[in-house]
Amino acid sequence: MGIAMLQLVEQGKAGLDDPVSRWLPDAPHADRITLRMLGASTSGLRDYVPDPKFLAALYADPFRQWTPAELVGISAAHPLWYEPGTSWSYSHANFVLLGQALEKIAGMPLAQVMEQQITGPAGLANTLNSFTPQIEEPVLHSFDAERGRYEESTFWNPSWTTAPGAVLTTHICDLARSAEAVGTGELLSPQSFKVQLDPGTVGLGGNTPGCPPRDCFRQLPAEHFGYGVIVQNGWIQSNPSFAGYAAIQAYLPSKHLAIAVSTTVGPKAPGDNTAQTIAARIAELLAPANSLAGRK
């Protein structure tokens, strides 16, 4: 979604510093939050995922179909962590809103935006959107213990994870190919790629009054959030996890090296992203000067 938005900016259809109210007038704090802040996660909107009421509802019915209005509403029910643009904190609500803005700006459903602008041009023929929890066979089954018992979670509903139309399934070869497409900037102009790697996040976060350090942690030159990607010791990566699934796609431009890992949780697995742990061990062997170990 970050790349798609930067492409639309290149085409003159929007500006990164346009207020969200231009397309989503009813969004929370729409006149104070910009498209840049959504993709860079500097809006100040709280993340709905840790909210106790959300978690209780999610665990009570993991097959529930969530709507964007429900998800953003949970975040909007809380005060902003900080004045938009002045700090950094990750929030899933940012990307639910970014997906809605993309639809308005592009004038088409988000799934079509993703296919036309991203997965099609990158040749990701086995990366598909689905508005249901269905996954094309053969399926890597997942297992999870978040609800207090170890159980299969393969077909839990991922509708809460991001904007409808951007919930994607893929296979490991496409995951590696997408790491390359994102990490080389091949879908963007050099100027837009530079913005993607640092849209103004470096230096933000940390010492934010009222925002816990676990949420508003410092964005460093060597390890920071870009526009929808993570920049870490030279790697350009993303590392999603959901209901027992964990994954990472990472690209190191200096060595033209792509790493893709997908895991599922064993009954005694640690609580962190196990795909990141495995990728870090691979990186230690192939590029020891560029650590992929997560921040502690």
Side-chain angles (χ1 to χ4, degrees):
M1 284 191 288
I3 292 174
M5 182 60 74
L6 290 169
Q7 290 173 338
L8 293 173
V9 170
E10 288 179 4
Q11 297 165 19
K13 296 181 178 179
L16 275 188
D17 296 313
D18 290 345
V20 174
S21 58
R22 181 175 173 186
W23 293 278
L24 305 173
D26 296 327
H29 312 285
D31 58 338
R32 300 162 61 195
I33 293 173
T34 66
L35 298 175
R36 183 188 300 272
M37 294 174 193
L38 292 181
S41 233
T42 59
S43 70
L45 287 169
R46 297 201 194 188
D47 192 4
Y48 54 78
V49 171
D51 186 283
K53 291 183 179 179
F54 168 76
L55 289 174
L58 178 66
Y59 292 151
D61 181 10
F63 301 99
R64 173 176 171 175
Q65 181 77 20
W66 292 83
T67 68
E70 290 173 328
L71 298 170
V72 174
I74 296 169
S75 292
H78 298 281
L80 293 170
W81 278 132
Y82 46 82
E83 181 65 23
T86 63
S87 189
W88 181 91
S89 55
Y90 188 84
S91 174
H92 288 75
N94 290 324
F95 295 93
V96 175
L97 290 169
L98 188 67
Q100 292 181 307
L102 276 166
E103 291 189 326
K104 295 288 187 179
I105 296 167
M108 66 182 76
L110 181 57
Q112 191 175 346
V113 175
M114 299 297 288
E115 196 283 325
Q116 288 189 9
Q117 296 185 208
I118 309 298
T119 59
L124 304 176
N126 292 284
T127 300
L128 306 170
N129 170 73
S130 178
F131 290 101
T132 76
Q134 185 63 36
I135 305 173
E136 185 173 325
E137 295 285 349
V139 178
L140 171 64
H141 286 252
S142 68
F143 300 85
D144 190 77
E146 290 178 70
R147 300 204 302 164
R149 61 181 182 272
Y150 189 64
E151 59 188 330
E152 179 162 3
S153 53
T154 307
F155 300 108
W156 285 6
N157 197 321
S159 57
W160 59 268
T161 60
T162 192
V167 179
L168 305 175
T169 60
T170 190
H171 66 28
I172 198 69
C173 295
D174 267 21
L175 193 63
R177 168 64 188 130
S178 65
E180 178 185 36
V182 174
T184 60
E186 68 179 65
L187 300 174
L188 293 170
S189 69
Q191 181 180 359
S192 293
F193 187 46
K194 184 177 180 180
V195 171
Q196 185 184 29
L197 299 187
D198 181 14
T201 49
V202 172
L204 295 179
N207 299 319
T208 304
C211 184
R214 70 176 185 273
D215 294 296
C216 295
F217 54 87
R218 193 75 168 172
Q219 300 299 291
L220 307 172
E223 188 172 351
H224 62 272
F225 199 78
Y227 198 76
V229 297
I230 299 168
V231 178
Q232 182 180 350
N233 299 323
W235 295 90
I236 301 162
Q237 60 124 320
S238 60
N239 54 1
S241 59
F242 154 70
Y245 286 115
I248 183 172
Q249 57 169 44
Y251 188 78
L252 184 61
S254 63
K255 290 188 175 294
H256 308 288
L257 175 62
I259 294 178
V261 178
S262 178
T263 63
T264 187
V265 175
K268 296 182 180 180
D272 55 1
N273 185 318
T274 51
Q276 178 100 36
T277 302
I278 293 170
R281 294 173 182 171
I282 296 171
E284 187 176 357
L285 295 173
L286 300 180
N290 302 89
S291 174
L292 256 181
R295 188 187 308 199
K296 300 297 185 183

